[in-house]
Amino acid sequence: MSPSANGAAPGSSPPSAPPASFLVLIALGLATQPIATDLYMPALPAVTRELAPGQPGVIGLSMTLLVLCFGLGQLVSGPLADRHGRRPCLLAGLWLLCLGGLGCTLAASAWQLNLARALQGFALAPILVSCRAAVRDRFTPAEGPVIMSRALTGLGAVALFSPVLGAWVTQHLGWRWSLGLTMLYAGGLALAAHRYFGESLAPRGAATAAGAVPTGRADRDKAAQSLALVFRDAHFRAWTGVVSATWIGLFCFLLLSPLVYIDHLGLSTAAYGWIPAAGSLVYILGGRWCQRRLRDLGPARLVRQAALISLAGGLTQAAGVLIRPDPLWWLLAGHFMYAWAHASHQACGQAGVISHLPQAAGKGSAWSGFLMMLSAFVVGQLAAAFIRPGHPHGAWPMVLPMLASGVALVLLAFGPVARLRDPGSALHRAADAAGTDGLRTDTMPR
């Protein structure tokens, strides 16, 4: 019997299904990313008025710095999670996020705020790397997209309430109280994880027996070989392209939508809060659709359908800006289409990135996350450069990145992803049941 995709040693019995608390904590851990962004989004104009009046780019940098540091932090977090385990990295990240939230709450200048947001970005890295890798530890490549979709649906539920709560708190209590909520969330989740989150990484001896990278004098050479293995993997490259492309479009919405909807289109802070909340609801519904369609279509075919929906969303927004002086409803319709498809891209992509890297899941997740965040940082900075007082470019700085992302997703879905062997297809599941490829189907959660 070949080594299993879950990293168990040959001859070992399949792992038991993880407890419900494990899946809940995975969902809440993944949700730290929208907590760190969606609570903050409605506060952006108020923060700008207080800390950097007339300089929206300075405060906008707080969002892009978070993303860049998140990406850089993953390069360190991945190897640490593979060597020392998912649990200690998760706990360290949560307490750092709590500390960063305190710094944001007490910031007296724009640059103090930016530094605290950078710390939050570094803190998010071990949290999300550990959560993604823990899913890979527990489940086979065929199961991973389904489990990830369920966890991301929980993320969507948190994201549904975050912007509404952030908008209400900002409008009635002030932006500092809104940023303080991130500190409370991270601290509470750290206490829960300390009690309920068990280590999912196989013991070092068992992992080495199954072919994992050993530790010792040859660490440097083995680490280089492991990294080369990651980048040679066609699944890693293709799915990293998918998650990067879909995240670019969403990030530019997160970064620029408060300025477009509040400052340019004149919505109140409270009214704006319902826009990302409604998008999160659509994302949840898209996640449910993803779960139903995955078992019939498999990840590759499902992502092809979702890519066409993403492109339709970008085209809808662009058409609205072209033909309407007040394109509010066109912008909303396009955003909802994009959010629906984003659920499938994220679930299939995040699972697919490390689906064929069972012994380097942390490193694969880290490098994928870094490339995803780096691309979003570059495009976000470029788009934000066109946001100026008076908004002479209208909504285009927010719309064009989403349209470009839709085009990129179609090219990826019908190109590199279509050429992959699809672990979720009916044919591959039949092969799994016959015992080929070392994949197990007897641990599928019911």
Side-chain angles (χ1 to χ4, degrees), residues 313-327:
L315 289 171
T316 299
Q317 290 199 332
V321 175
L322 282 172
I323 67 177
R324 298 284 299 178
D326 182 7

Side-chain angles (χ1 to χ4, degrees), residues 116-206:
R117 292 290 285 173
L119 176 60
Q120 286 187 316
F122 280 116
L124 286 173
I127 299 172
L128 271 77
V129 164
S130 298
C131 288
R132 293 169 187 157
V135 171
R136 182 61 188 88
D137 295 338
R138 297 274 191 166
F139 298 97
T140 67
E143 300 164 358
V146 177
I147 300 303
M148 188 61 74
S149 179
R150 292 175 184 170
L152 291 174
T153 299
L155 174 154
V158 174
L160 173 63
F161 297 104
S162 296
V164 177
L165 178 60
W168 187 91
V169 171
T170 298
Q171 186 157 319
H172 295 282
L173 300 176
W175 62 266
R176 294 183 187 276
W177 287 91
S178 181
L179 299 189
L181 294 175
T182 302
M183 174 182 63
L184 297 178
Y185 181 92
L189 185 56
L191 294 175
H194 182 78
R195 180 175 177 85
Y196 297 109
F197 189 89
E199 182 57 63
S200 62
L201 184 64
R204 185 171 296 174

Side-chain angles (χ1 to χ4, degrees), residues 225-378:
Q225 292 172 14
S226 177
L227 184 59
L229 178 68
V230 167
F231 279 93
R232 282 199 304 266
D233 183 59
H235 293 79
F236 171 85
R237 297 195 304 271
W239 288 116
T240 294
V242 169
V243 295
S244 297
T246 190
W247 173 239
I248 286 172
L250 185 66
F251 174 71
C252 288
F253 166 80
L254 297 174
L255 176 64
L256 303 176
S257 64
L259 302 173
V260 170
Y261 284 107
I262 297 174
D263 288 348
H264 175 53
L265 296 178
L267 294 185
S268 69
T269 301
Y272 164 76
W274 289 100
I275 294 175
S280 296
L281 178 59
V282 173
Y283 176 87
I284 293 172
L285 297 175
R288 299 298 297 172
W289 176 73
C290 171
Q291 292 170 33
R292 288 196 300 270
R293 300 295 289 163
L294 259 175
R295 296 185 185 279
D296 295 328
L297 298 179
R301 291 174 61 197
L302 177 62
V303 163
R304 288 200 289 274
Q305 293 185 4
L308 294 174
I309 299 173
S310 300
L311 179 59
L315 289 171
T316 299
Q317 290 199 332
V321 175
L322 282 172
I323 67 177
R324 298 284 299 178
D326 182 7
L328 175 63
W329 295 105
W330 290 75
L331 294 177
L332 293 178
H335 173 60
F336 294 154
M337 292 181 200
Y338 197 91
W340 178 281
H342 183 70
S344 295
H345 295 314
Q346 282 293 301
C348 297
Q350 289 190 25
V353 159
I354 51 178
S355 60
H356 287 65
L357 300 170
Q359 309 305 337
K363 186 169 291 184
S365 175
W367 275 97
S368 174
F370 167 72
L371 294 171
M372 178 170 65
M373 295 302 151
L374 179 63
S375 59
F377 172 81
V378 172

Side-chain angles (χ1 to χ4, degrees), residues 1-8 14-15 136 138-145 235 351 354-358 421-444:
M1 182 177 179
S2 61
S4 79
N6 285 56
R136 182 61 188 88
R138 297 274 191 166
F139 298 97
T140 67
E143 300 164 358
H235 293 79
I354 51 178
S355 60
H356 287 65
L357 300 170
R421 187 177 181 214
D422 193 340
S425 66
L427 179 62
H428 197 173
R429 289 200 309 275
D432 295 343
T436 61
D437 287 327
L439 301 180
R440 289 195 307 273
T441 57
D442 55 353
T443 59
M444 179 73 76

Side-chain angles (χ1 to χ4, degrees), residues 31-42 44 63 66-67 117 124 162 182 247 251 254:
T32 54
Q33 185 176 349
I35 284 288
T37 54
D38 293 11
L39 281 173
Y40 182 63
M41 287 162 53
L44 266 174
M63 186 74 84
L66 178 139
V67 166
R117 292 290 285 173
L124 286 173
S162 296
T182 302
W247 173 239
F251 174 71
L254 297 174

